[in-house]
Amino acid sequence: MIPVSATLDDIARETGLSRATVARVLGGYGHSSKKARDKVLEVAKKLNYKPNYIAKSMVTGETKNIGLIVGDIQNPFFSTIARAISDVIVPEGYSLIVSSTDEKLEVEKTSIDKFFQKQVDGLILAPVSRSNSGHLHELVKSKIPVVLIDRVIDGLDLDMIVSEDVGGGQVATEYLVGLGHRNIGFLSDNLDISTNYDRLSGYRKALRENNIRERECWIKLGGFRVDGAYKSGVALLSQNKDLTAVIASNNYMAAGLLLAAKDMGLSIPRDLSVISFDDIVWFELTKPPITAVAQNTVEMGSLAARSVLTALRDQRSVKGITRLPTKLIVRESCAKLQN
């Protein structure tokens, strides 16, 4: 049986002190003697007192909640970020509230409104669109700290914690070129998401610098879930039988691409070399293991959380973009092209 939590009046009766004194001690504000504090805390523990955070928030203006809005919390990339944020804020007395947008702009706007109604103390957001961002410019005027994570919106005076996506796309492409590949495809979802746009920019830069003529048909876009990636993967491979390698812009795209290649009877890496962004656990468990551009997702989440906490403590430094380096993890899904 769960014990019933005591009230301030219960503690006041037990200690013989006024309710106002008990409230000051347990609320951590105002003045009270050491003798009174010790007595109140002893009785509060004895009676299993639990603080009423809703009532406290009405006094302090703090909810001790931080909001996180991401594309899909089921995606291992975002769930790792959420865990990293939680690991930083929970020891500081905060809780994390998470919402998924399914990469839909209207859902993002609704989620932001709901979090503001709940009066979260801070907000961490992976924005859906790099172009439809008027509502995000309004966030700059808000009184709560807002940090963008994983994605960039140009012209916003906010902290942004992201990966070096252009460089990651370039390194992945150059690795394939070094193995002799020149017909290299790129599978992605919406290019209005800055990460996809930047990774594609890195891919294109590498092709130019290696004197490889880019073909638009080598680039295929699809839905952000695995089923959409599968359909786009089938279309890309069936329409471009000259492709010897494909770069997937994230782990969902990679899953769809691998399923498409399997159903089309293509062997990895004998018939098709594959590289994906987002180095997640199952990449090591497939046959063959998948070569990936790894991002420091734990550091990304930790930095975002610390940025919010710093702002809440009125220790704001100059806002700007922090770009974390990526690393190519070479496994067995790419092979040297045989002439």
Side-chain angles (χ1 to χ4, degrees):
M1 183 175 180
I2 300 175
V4 178
S5 176
T7 66
L8 295 180
D9 290 329
D10 294 333
I11 297 172
R13 282 192 294 271
E14 183 81 8
T15 59
L17 299 170
S18 70
R19 189 181 190 281
T21 298
V22 173
R24 284 198 302 273
V25 171
L26 296 177
Y29 62 90
H31 174 74
S32 54
S33 68
K34 182 179 185 303
K35 181 178 180 181
R37 285 197 305 274
D38 290 346
K39 193 170 187 180
V40 168
L41 294 175
E42 180 183 354
V43 172
K45 183 177 181 180
K46 172 185 170 184
L47 297 182
N48 189 43
Y49 171 76
K50 298 287 190 272
N52 186 333
Y53 287 109
I54 295 176
K56 186 176 180 181
S57 71
M58 295 175 68
V59 176
T60 65
E62 294 182 337
T63 64
K64 289 296 183 180
N65 291 323
I66 291 174
L68 172 65
I69 302 176
V70 296
D72 182 1
I73 195 60
Q74 287 186 319
N75 188 323
F77 173 79
F78 286 125
S79 59
T80 300
I81 284 177
R83 175 57 190 266
I85 293 170
S86 182
D87 285 347
V88 171
I89 67 173
V90 168
E92 299 296 328
Y94 291 86
S95 297
L96 186 66
I97 305 175
V98 183
S99 176
S100 296
T101 64
D102 288 333
E103 305 295 2
K104 296 177 181 177
L105 186 62
E106 289 307 314
V107 177
E108 175 178 282
K109 292 179 180 179
T110 300
S111 297
I112 291 172
D113 289 342
K114 287 182 177 179
F115 277 157
F116 270 78
Q117 290 168 15
K118 293 178 184 294
Q119 296 181 313
V120 293
D121 296 336
L123 179 63
I124 300 171
L125 167 69
V128 169
S129 171
R130 62 189 179 88
S131 58
N132 295 305
S133 57
H135 62 295
L136 299 184
H137 286 267
E138 292 298 315
L139 284 180
V140 177
K141 303 174 186 177
S142 68
K143 296 181 180 180
I144 72 169
V146 179
V147 176
L148 302 190
I149 197 165
D150 181 49
R151 301 166 185 182
V152 170
I153 302 293
D154 292 334
L156 275 185
D157 185 27
L158 295 174
D159 279 339
M160 305 180 201
I161 317 296
V162 300
S163 292
E164 182 49 75
D165 290 303
V166 174
Q170 184 175 1
V171 167
T173 308
E174 288 176 343
Y175 175 71
L176 291 169
V177 171
L179 292 175
H181 297 275
R182 296 185 69 81
N183 296 357
I184 303 168
F186 191 91
L187 182 65
S188 181
D189 52 0
N190 190 355
L191 293 184
D192 202 26
I193 296 173
S194 69
T195 48
N196 297 329
Y197 181 84
D198 288 345
R199 291 164 189 177
L200 178 61
S201 296
Y203 158 87
R204 285 172 162 160
K205 182 179 180 181
L207 293 184
R208 288 195 306 271
E209 292 184 354
N210 286 278
N211 298 314
I212 299 173
R213 183 173 65 86
E214 176 194 333
R215 299 181 190 174
E216 283 302 318
C217 62
W218 287 353
I219 301 168
K220 184 65 68 174
L221 307 179
F224 86 101
R225 294 191 181 278
V226 174
D227 56 349
Y230 172 82
K231 294 176 183 177
S232 297
V234 169
L236 176 66
L237 297 175
S238 61
Q239 295 167 11
N240 299 277
K241 297 187 183 298
D242 58 338
L243 290 179
T244 60
V246 175
I247 296 171
S249 66
N250 58 55
N251 64 82
Y252 278 7
M253 295 296 107
L257 175 64
L258 293 174
L259 289 171
K262 176 177 177 290
D263 286 352
M264 296 175 71
L266 298 175
S267 174
I268 310 295
R270 185 190 65 200
D271 301 320
L272 185 73
S273 291
V274 172
I275 296 180
S276 177
F277 268 80
D278 302 341
D279 186 34
I280 60 175
V281 172
W282 67 261
F283 280 4
E284 298 183 76
L285 306 178
T286 58
K287 289 186 178 181
I290 305 301
T291 294
V293 179
Q295 304 179 78
N296 196 335
T297 49
V298 172
E299 182 68 5
M300 189 181 293
S302 297
L303 285 176
R306 289 198 287 270
S307 177
V308 169
L309 293 179
T310 297
L312 288 171
R313 294 164 182 156
D314 294 322
Q315 299 172 342
R316 168 55 56 218
S317 57
V318 177
K319 299 183 182 72
I321 302 175
T322 300
R323 296 187 185 275
L324 301 176
T326 59
K327 182 180 180 181
L328 183 67
I329 307 296
V330 176
R331 297 196 179 96
E332 300 170 25
S333 63
C334 299
K336 189 173 182 179
L337 188 63
Q338 301 297 322
N339 295 323

